[in-house]
Amino acid sequence: MDGLKLRSVGRTDLQLSALGLGCWQFSNGRGLIGGYWSSIAERGVREIVETTLAGGINWFDTAEIYGRGGSERALAHALSTLDVASDNVVIATKWWPLGRRAASIAQTFPERVSCLSPYPITLHQIHQPFSLASIPSQMKEMARLHEQGLIRAVGVSNFSAAQMRAAHKALAGYGIPLASNQVKYSLLDRRIERNGVLDTAHDLGISIIAYSPLEQGILTGAFHRDAERLKVLRGARKLQVTAKRIETSRPLIDRLETFAKKYEATASQIALHALVTLHGELVFAIPGASNVRQAQENAGALHISLTEEERSEIQELSLRVVANG
């Protein structure tokens, strides 16, 4: 096939590419969360966005907490500079709940609109299950935005199986489906398959949006090819990308590299494609990109066609590596 087709998000009418672009790295180095990444120049952001769209990806995921709105503004500015029509792109963003009550969702929404103008917020998500308010109260506020036509879909992020069910039940009272749960998921992190999140998504028709789908770069194979890269890591990433994890994941990376040669692709492209096809059309993924090459690689993952046997082999190796890790 010539690329993965657009797929529905949960039980909504949204049609998105299997991959979106995660935009945390557009935070311009601002804030406690945004400071995780170095600043990317305006031209660099524009080129990444342009390359992403040209490759067949039609949506972008950002958040209020990413640079205190800096990521949202950078994304909107890049799209505007490229003269992208608002109906040709989908934006997902997230409300930061820590220390806030549900009323903050409506109170902060105008700022989200301002940061992303002239692009509408299509999918609005609760970023973490840490609000001072109950899940039903948060869903009530999200439902109001939906009923006013200000958003088209409601999602959550980092919610447990029980929290997903609570959100789904609350929204159902307003006749609105819970579209998605954004969680950490990759070929090297399969916790959602054991803690009930994936099963709940299946049962309720809720899409999974996988963040960190390349496991902080481990699944690119770059650290396996050059161990010296480990020495320049900093911050939280240094704690996640360790020599032990590089060694235990080597059998999987070696196989990804073999398939990459066969398809004239990269290990990261094989890993991304395998992830978003493991469970039919249930899983989306939002890899980031800090340069044009990474944006090209992300989009290229949409245009690979692994066989069932190859997917099964990757699946088995992935499970074995995770069990041994």
Side-chain angles (χ1 to χ4, degrees):
M1 61 183 171
D2 185 19
L4 296 171
K5 65 180 186 298
L6 298 182
R7 53 179 65 171
S8 297
V9 183
R11 292 174 177 165
T12 74
D13 61 356
L14 291 183
Q15 294 286 306
L16 302 183
S17 49
L19 296 174
L21 180 72
C23 297
W24 183 9
Q25 70 280 6
F26 293 169
S27 301
N28 202 27
R30 295 180 59 197
L32 181 62
I33 302 296
Y36 185 90
W37 299 99
S38 300
S39 179
I40 302 175
E42 180 181 314
R43 178 180 176 180
V45 173
R46 184 176 67 250
E47 291 175 343
I48 291 168
V49 169
E50 182 176 30
T51 301
T52 296
L53 290 169
I57 292 174
N58 73 341
W59 65 288
F60 299 81
D61 180 86
T62 181
E64 172 188 11
I65 198 67
Y66 298 163
R68 299 190 293 269
S71 170
E72 294 171 322
R73 289 189 292 271
L75 172 61
H77 181 71
L79 290 167
S80 295
T81 302
L82 293 166
D83 200 26
V84 177
S86 60
D87 56 356
N88 287 338
V89 66
V90 171
I91 305 295
T93 193
K94 299 182 283 292
W95 169 71
W96 185 249
L98 191 62
R100 287 169 159 179
R101 299 195 179 277
S104 168
I105 294 172
Q107 292 166 357
T108 58
F109 192 77
E111 183 181 356
R112 308 278 63 71
V113 172
S114 176
C115 287
L116 286 163
S117 179
Y119 299 93
I121 297 169
T122 300
L123 174 63
H124 202 23
Q125 305 157 97
I126 306 293
H127 203 146
Q128 294 277 359
F130 300 149
S131 171
L132 296 176
S134 68
I135 289 175
S137 295
Q138 294 173 69
M139 293 304 110
K140 181 179 180 180
E141 293 298 319
M142 285 291 203
R144 284 177 176 171
L145 295 177
H146 189 281
E147 290 166 350
Q148 294 170 33
L150 298 176
I151 61 176
R152 285 179 58 191
V154 179
V156 295
S157 181
N158 298 299
F159 271 40
S160 68
Q163 291 163 340
M164 287 172 68
R165 290 189 181 277
H168 175 270
K169 180 179 179 180
L171 281 177
Y174 304 97
I176 302 169
L178 177 62
S180 58
N181 186 13
Q182 188 175 135
V183 292
K184 189 172 183 296
Y185 187 40
S186 75
L187 295 179
L188 292 175
D189 187 341
R190 306 184 65 150
R191 285 173 291 179
I192 67 167
E193 298 175 2
R194 304 189 300 273
N195 62 18
V197 167
L198 189 66
D199 288 340
T200 300
H202 271 296
D203 293 345
L204 301 180
I206 300 168
S207 289
I208 291 295
I209 299 176
Y211 68 78
S212 197
L214 294 175
E215 202 63 24
Q216 297 296 319
I218 295 177
L219 286 164
T220 67
F223 296 103
H224 300 77
R225 292 188 295 272
D226 182 8
E228 292 297 308
R229 288 172 174 263
L230 290 170
K231 298 179 180 179
V232 299
L233 294 177
R234 61 178 186 173
R237 196 177 180 200
K238 189 173 184 178
L239 299 176
Q240 298 175 56
V241 184
T242 64
K244 180 181 177 181
R245 293 196 76 196
I246 298 304
E247 191 54 37
T248 57
S249 62
R250 190 174 295 279
L252 175 60
I253 301 303
D254 288 347
R255 201 67 185 120
L256 294 178
E257 294 280 14
T258 298
F259 290 138
K261 290 178 182 178
K262 174 181 176 180
Y263 290 103
E264 298 183 339
T266 64
S268 64
Q269 289 174 328
I270 301 297
L272 288 172
H273 185 93
L275 186 68
V276 298
T277 55
L278 271 182
H279 306 283
E281 296 187 349
L282 185 71
V283 177
F284 295 79
I286 47 170
S290 297
N291 55 55
V292 168
R293 178 186 60 77
Q294 291 172 354
Q296 289 172 332
E297 286 197 11
N298 290 345
L302 293 174
H303 306 286
I304 296 169
S305 183
L306 297 172
T307 67
E308 287 297 328
E309 291 78 10
E310 289 166 343
R311 275 198 290 269
S312 294
E313 185 175 346
I314 291 171
Q315 162 86 326
E316 291 171 9
L317 259 176
S318 168
L319 290 170
R320 195 180 312 153
V321 167
V322 169
N324 293 336

